Amino acid sequence: MNIAVLGVGTVGEQVVKILQEHKDLIFARSGKEINPVVGVVKNLEKNRDVNIELTDDLDSVLNRTDIDVYVELMGGIDKSYEVVKYALQNKKAVVTANKALLAYYRYELQKIAGETPFGFEASVAGAIPIIKSLREGLSANNICSIEGIMNGTSNYILTSMMKGDTDFAEALKKAQELGYAEADPTFDIGGFDAAHKLLILASIAYGIDAKPEDILIEGIDRINRADIFFVNDFEYTIKLLGIAKKVGNKVELRVHPTLIPKNKMLAKVDGVMNAISVISDCAGESMLYGAGAGGKATASAVISDLIDIARGTNLPMLGYKEPQKAGNFELLQKDQIQTKYYFRLEVEDKVGVLATITNIMSQNNLSVDSFLQKPHLISDDDNMATLFFITHTSYESDVNNFIDLVKKESFIKAEPFMMRIEE
Amino acid sequence: MNIAVLGVGTVGEQVVKILQEHKDLIFARSGKEINPVVGVVKNLEKNRDVNIELTDDLDSVLNRTDIDVYVELMGGIDKSYEVVKYALQNKKAVVTANKALLAYYRYELQKIAGETPFGFEASVAGAIPIIKSLREGLSANNICSIEGIMNGTSNYILTSMMKGDTDFAEALKKAQELGYAEADPTFDIGGFDAAHKLLILASIAYGIDAKPEDILIEGIDRINRADIFFVNDFEYTIKLLGIAKKVGNKVELRVHPTLIPKNKMLAKVDGVMNAISVISDCAGESMLYGAGAGGKATASAVISDLIDIARGTNLPMLGYKEPQKAGNFELLQKDQIQTKYYFRLEVEDKVGVLATITNIMSQNNLSVDSFLQKPHLISDDDNMATLFFITHTSYESDVNNFIDLVKKESFIKAEPFMMRIEE
């Protein structure tokens, strides 16, 4: 089985190396020799640590008749879509690690692929076989929910903030120094990376099509030391979660920093590690834990797809052989989401403030589950206080109305901050 | 696709029910209707909560030409081996949850099955897709080690002992009252159940054949409050682990109560839950967590195999298409195992005791990593003390020699107790 590797960066190098170094093992397991025969790169001048023919002529590689599988590791969306489409139209199998491509084009690609194998285990959470577990391992189940720590950068930063005495900026800087965060970290800390992965998993669980711009995405950059203080005190931890949840015949999809009880398994996942917890109606809770990124871990997932193809496995790409029977789930509108909410308000400490706030809450159907007022947490000013609330389960629309109204009050001294809670 | 369910107990009932209740979902995912058409039971008089034809005539069901897959849930070894063999010889696919059968006959059955599908995901850790994850998800990797909490009963008891103030007998009684432990709990607490599962996983990871009697198996029944005291104090927890580990060209296989550091992910798995941690050379650590037993969770795994068969997936049963190339691992002899060891000795508190013990240790190549002496932990007698040692990495053979020698000393007042440590 001959492989062309399109894009020979950190992951591509490892795909080639592991295929070569584990040649005997892979033959024993798959029954075939899986040979990387050519790599396509943009810049032939750049030094690469691989023992394989390299070319910058993508078109000629796409037209080679001796290639059985194209491994797409170019990244980006539009160009890679054209490349993958071309290969599939020529009935060539494709394996990709490109989550952005799939977040936008997975249904188009499924249609074009038809019976041609298309593997993308590496697109979600590197070494964790979550695509396989959902599509095959849990295939007998209705999926109640998926909650996952799907971004190692954010989890590293949040773990540092929860455990140490660092604030967001320091934790980010440390992550950048260690190579866990990019120079421009927006994609990771803004929740976009996790959202791409969540959309892929939601398709397999629910057969639902949605694009990143359709769903609620919030990042972790507004969390401060006061939040950490409260959260620790109330036995929660904060994780950036991707959440897909069945609510009747609708599915809610959201990515945001989330307060979860310290005794949940997900709460125990620290540092750059990823973990995804699935609740299903027969199997109960299953959690998968492992490295979410890194050249070797991602290459391991790419090659697992290649071995599946070599073994003759050909599964329905998004998990449904009869997609029209997939349950017809609709996306729940953002403002219809219901959960418990956490608020932090910086207020002037004067008579009537609490009464005003609680009045606006009750006008918007919010009721208080827990409350804490602390002076001097954020400012040394004796006239300032920090208020923390946790609500009972409420509608997102009511919460947004409350924030819009309360921030008009003159005693509110900073933009109110809200996080959602999953018990 | 027509299914016969051989054995309609807790799991079999759920297999039938879920296939019926999730009919549309399973059709959408698999592309086929999967119909349970007949169940075989020993006693037709017993009331069963299933809507399916039942018979006690196993032979006639085995000879029906309209059955495509036999689901073997009879349990036991010899009879079920004959039944499964007969079905496979007739080129009928088989799915089983029977770990004891596989612990003894997996290689014979692989040979008989040939190209006929044979699923056994349900045989190890119920709802956790560990067979699939090892055989497919991690197929690009050399497996360095597998460490797993594979028995919920034992984990429930150990969790109670670690967290509460119960001793082994009380914790077992509570587990029995809650239905987590059998009236005769030997199979679970003695490590035999976990050993069966470990042997199955070791075949997929290493292609190694071994029987339960070939490997080291110890149970949890000798652990007492003094051990819990020490273990808590030294930041360990105790788990009954099944361990498979590659050591050069050999594989060690063992099941025993194990001290592991509290900050390991496996240490955080409490109650009846199971979890299996795999370290592999490309993917690093992966851990899968979920329900290890229960009718619905086990049925979920059985049906995932049926859906794989319906989708046309046919994988090499034990993970190797070319078994002769599987690495030729040999089983490491028990006495060649190397790890760190924990000892508890009940001694008379008199001059020279420690000198004698440490002399016997050094004569047997054991050196001390940590040491604690505590009076009054087990006995109120002022003349008695409890000694705890942790050794540096040592050979099992040296440890056994040490125990044989030290227990002959007159100051040793109870059978010495030893557990192994995995850092």
Coordinates of all heavy atoms in Angstrom, one line a residue, chain B residues 41-76:
Chain B
V41 N -32.0 -21.0 26.6 CA -31.9 -21.0 28.1 C -31.9 -22.4 28.6 O -32.3 -23.4 27.9 CB -33.1 -20.2 28.7 CG1 -33.1 -18.8 28.3 CG2 -34.4 -20.9 28.4
K42 N -31.4 -22.6 29.8 CA -31.4 -23.9 30.5 C -32.7 -24.2 31.0 O -33.2 -25.3 30.8 CB -30.4 -23.9 31.6 CG -29.0 -24.5 31.2 CD -28.2 -24.8 32.5 CE -26.7 -24.9 32.2 NZ -25.9 -24.6 33.3
N43 N -33.3 -23.2 31.7 CA -34.6 -23.5 32.4 C -35.7 -22.6 31.8 O -35.8 -21.4 32.0 CB -34.4 -23.2 33.8 CG -35.6 -23.3 34.7 OD1 -36.7 -23.7 34.1 ND2 -35.5 -23.0 35.9
L44 N -36.6 -23.3 31.0 CA -37.7 -22.5 30.3 C -38.7 -22.0 31.3 O -39.5 -21.1 31.0 CB -38.3 -23.4 29.3 CG -37.7 -23.4 27.9 CD1 -38.3 -24.5 27.1 CD2 -37.8 -22.1 27.2
E45 N -38.7 -22.6 32.5 CA -39.8 -22.2 33.5 C -39.5 -20.8 34.1 O -40.4 -20.1 34.5 CB -39.8 -23.2 34.7 CG -40.1 -24.6 34.2 CD -41.4 -24.8 33.4 OE1 -42.4 -24.3 33.9 OE2 -41.3 -25.4 32.3
K46 N -38.2 -20.4 34.1 CA -37.8 -19.2 34.8 C -38.4 -18.0 34.0 O -38.3 -18.0 32.8 CB -36.3 -19.1 34.8 CG -35.7 -18.2 35.9 CD -34.2 -18.3 36.0 CE -33.5 -17.1 36.4 NZ -32.1 -17.1 36.3
N47 N -38.9 -17.0 34.8 CA -39.4 -15.8 34.2 C -38.4 -14.9 33.6 O -37.4 -14.6 34.3 CB -40.3 -15.1 35.2 CG -41.6 -14.6 34.6 OD1 -41.7 -14.5 33.4 ND2 -42.5 -14.3 35.5
R48 N -38.5 -14.5 32.4 CA -37.5 -13.7 31.8 C -38.1 -12.5 31.1 O -39.2 -12.6 30.5 CB -36.6 -14.4 30.7 CG -35.5 -15.2 31.3 CD -34.9 -16.2 30.4 NE -35.0 -17.5 31.0 CZ -33.9 -18.0 31.6 NH1 -32.8 -17.4 31.6 NH2 -34.0 -19.2 32.2
D49 N -37.5 -11.3 31.3 CA -38.1 -10.1 30.8 C -37.7 -9.8 29.4 O -37.1 -8.7 29.1 CB -37.7 -9.0 31.8 CG -38.4 -7.7 31.4 OD1 -39.4 -7.7 30.8 OD2 -37.8 -6.6 31.8
V50 N -38.0 -10.7 28.4 CA -37.6 -10.5 27.0 C -38.7 -10.9 26.1 O -39.4 -11.9 26.4 CB -36.3 -11.2 26.6 CG1 -35.1 -10.5 27.1 CG2 -36.4 -12.7 27.0
N51 N -38.8 -10.2 25.0 CA -39.9 -10.5 24.0 C -39.2 -11.2 22.8 O -38.9 -10.6 21.8 CB -40.5 -9.1 23.6 CG -41.6 -9.3 22.6 OD1 -42.1 -10.4 22.4 ND2 -41.9 -8.2 21.9
I52 N -39.0 -12.5 23.0 CA -38.2 -13.2 22.0 C -38.5 -14.7 22.2 O -38.9 -15.1 23.3 CB -36.7 -13.0 22.1 CG1 -35.9 -13.6 21.0 CG2 -36.2 -13.5 23.4 CD1 -34.4 -13.4 21.1
E53 N -38.5 -15.5 21.1 CA -38.7 -17.0 21.2 C -37.6 -17.5 22.1 O -36.4 -17.3 21.9 CB -38.6 -17.6 19.8 CG -38.8 -19.1 19.8 CD -38.2 -19.7 18.5 OE1 -38.2 -19.1 17.4 OE2 -37.8 -20.9 18.6
L54 N -38.0 -18.4 23.0 CA -37.0 -19.0 23.9 C -37.1 -20.5 23.8 O -38.2 -21.1 23.6 CB -37.2 -18.6 25.4 CG -36.9 -17.2 25.8 CD1 -37.3 -16.9 27.2 CD2 -35.5 -16.8 25.5
T55 N -35.9 -21.2 23.8 CA -35.9 -22.6 23.7 C -34.8 -23.1 24.7 O -33.9 -22.4 25.0 CB -35.7 -23.1 22.3 OG1 -35.5 -24.5 22.3 CG2 -34.4 -22.5 21.7
D56 N -34.9 -24.4 25.0 CA -33.8 -25.0 25.8 C -33.1 -26.0 24.9 O -32.2 -26.8 25.3 CB -34.3 -25.7 27.1 CG -35.4 -26.7 26.8 OD1 -35.7 -27.0 25.6 OD2 -35.9 -27.3 27.8
D57 N -33.4 -26.0 23.6 CA -32.8 -27.0 22.6 C -31.6 -26.3 21.9 O -31.8 -25.8 20.8 CB -33.9 -27.4 21.7 CG -33.3 -28.5 20.7 OD1 -32.1 -28.8 20.8 OD2 -34.2 -29.1 20.0
L58 N -30.5 -26.3 22.6 CA -29.3 -25.6 22.0 C -28.9 -26.2 20.7 O -28.6 -25.5 19.7 CB -28.1 -25.8 23.1 CG -26.8 -25.3 22.6 CD1 -26.8 -23.8 22.3 CD2 -25.7 -25.5 23.7
D59 N -28.9 -27.6 20.6 CA -28.5 -28.2 19.3 C -29.3 -27.8 18.1 O -28.7 -27.5 17.1 CB -28.5 -29.7 19.5 CG -27.4 -30.3 20.4 OD1 -26.5 -29.5 20.6 OD2 -27.5 -31.4 20.9
S60 N -30.6 -27.7 18.3 CA -31.4 -27.3 17.1 C -31.1 -25.9 16.7 O -31.0 -25.5 15.5 CB -32.9 -27.5 17.4 OG -33.4 -26.4 18.1
V61 N -30.8 -25.0 17.7 CA -30.5 -23.6 17.4 C -29.1 -23.5 16.7 O -29.0 -22.8 15.7 CB -30.5 -22.7 18.6 CG1 -29.9 -21.3 18.4 CG2 -32.0 -22.6 19.2
L62 N -28.2 -24.4 17.1 CA -26.9 -24.4 16.5 C -26.9 -24.8 15.0 O -26.1 -24.5 14.2 CB -25.9 -25.2 17.3 CG -25.4 -24.6 18.6 CD1 -24.5 -25.6 19.4 CD2 -24.5 -23.4 18.3
N63 N -28.0 -25.6 14.7 CA -28.1 -26.1 13.4 C -29.1 -25.3 12.5 O -29.3 -25.7 11.3 CB -28.5 -27.6 13.4 CG -27.4 -28.4 13.9 OD1 -26.3 -28.4 13.3 ND2 -27.6 -29.2 15.0
R64 N -29.6 -24.2 13.0 CA -30.6 -23.4 12.2 C -29.8 -22.7 11.1 O -28.7 -22.1 11.4 CB -31.3 -22.4 13.1 CG -32.5 -22.9 13.8 CD -33.1 -22.0 14.7 NE -33.7 -20.8 14.0 CZ -34.7 -20.0 14.6 NH1 -35.2 -20.3 15.8 NH2 -35.1 -19.0 13.9
T65 N -30.3 -22.7 9.9 CA -29.6 -22.1 8.8 C -29.8 -20.6 8.7 O -29.1 -19.9 7.9 CB -29.9 -22.8 7.4 OG1 -31.4 -22.7 7.3 CG2 -29.4 -24.2 7.4
D66 N -30.9 -20.1 9.4 CA -31.2 -18.7 9.3 C -30.5 -17.8 10.2 O -30.7 -16.6 10.2 CB -32.7 -18.5 9.4 CG -33.2 -18.9 10.8 OD1 -32.6 -19.8 11.5 OD2 -34.2 -18.4 11.3
I67 N -29.6 -18.4 11.1 CA -28.9 -17.6 12.1 C -27.6 -17.1 11.4 O -26.8 -18.0 10.9 CB -28.6 -18.4 13.3 CG1 -29.9 -18.9 14.0 CG2 -27.7 -17.6 14.3 CD1 -30.8 -17.8 14.5
D68 N -27.3 -15.8 11.5 CA -26.0 -15.3 11.0 C -24.9 -15.2 12.1 O -23.8 -15.3 11.8 CB -26.3 -13.9 10.4 CG -27.3 -14.0 9.2 OD1 -27.0 -14.7 8.3 OD2 -28.3 -13.4 9.3
V69 N -25.4 -14.8 13.3 CA -24.4 -14.6 14.4 C -24.9 -15.3 15.7 O -26.0 -15.1 16.0 CB -24.1 -13.1 14.6 CG1 -23.0 -12.9 15.6 CG2 -23.9 -12.3 13.4
Y70 N -24.0 -16.0 16.3 CA -24.3 -16.6 17.6 C -23.6 -15.7 18.7 O -22.4 -15.4 18.6 CB -23.8 -18.0 17.7 CG -24.6 -19.0 16.9 CD1 -24.3 -19.2 15.6 CD2 -25.8 -19.5 17.4 CE1 -25.0 -20.1 14.8 CE2 -26.5 -20.4 16.6 CZ -26.2 -20.6 15.3 OH -27.0 -21.5 14.5
V71 N -24.5 -15.3 19.7 CA -24.0 -14.5 20.8 C -23.9 -15.4 22.0 O -24.9 -15.9 22.5 CB -24.9 -13.3 21.1 CG1 -24.4 -12.6 22.4 CG2 -24.9 -12.3 19.9
E72 N -22.6 -15.7 22.4 CA -22.4 -16.7 23.4 C -22.3 -16.0 24.8 O -21.4 -15.3 25.0 CB -21.1 -17.5 23.1 CG -20.9 -18.7 24.1 CD -20.2 -18.3 25.4 OE1 -19.1 -17.7 25.3 OE2 -20.8 -18.6 26.4
L73 N -23.3 -16.3 25.6 CA -23.4 -15.7 27.0 C -23.7 -16.7 28.0 O -24.3 -16.4 29.0 CB -24.4 -14.5 27.0 CG -24.2 -13.4 26.0 CD1 -25.5 -12.5 26.0 CD2 -23.0 -12.6 26.3
M74 N -23.2 -18.0 27.7 CA -23.5 -19.1 28.6 C -22.6 -19.1 29.8 O -22.9 -19.6 30.9 CB -23.4 -20.4 27.9 CG -24.3 -20.5 26.6 SD -24.0 -21.8 25.4 CE -22.8 -22.8 26.2
G75 N -21.4 -18.5 29.6 CA -20.3 -18.6 30.6 C -19.7 -20.0 30.7 O -20.1 -20.9 29.8
G76 N -18.9 -20.3 31.6 CA -18.2 -21.6 31.7 C -17.1 -21.7 30.6 O -16.9 -20.7 29.8

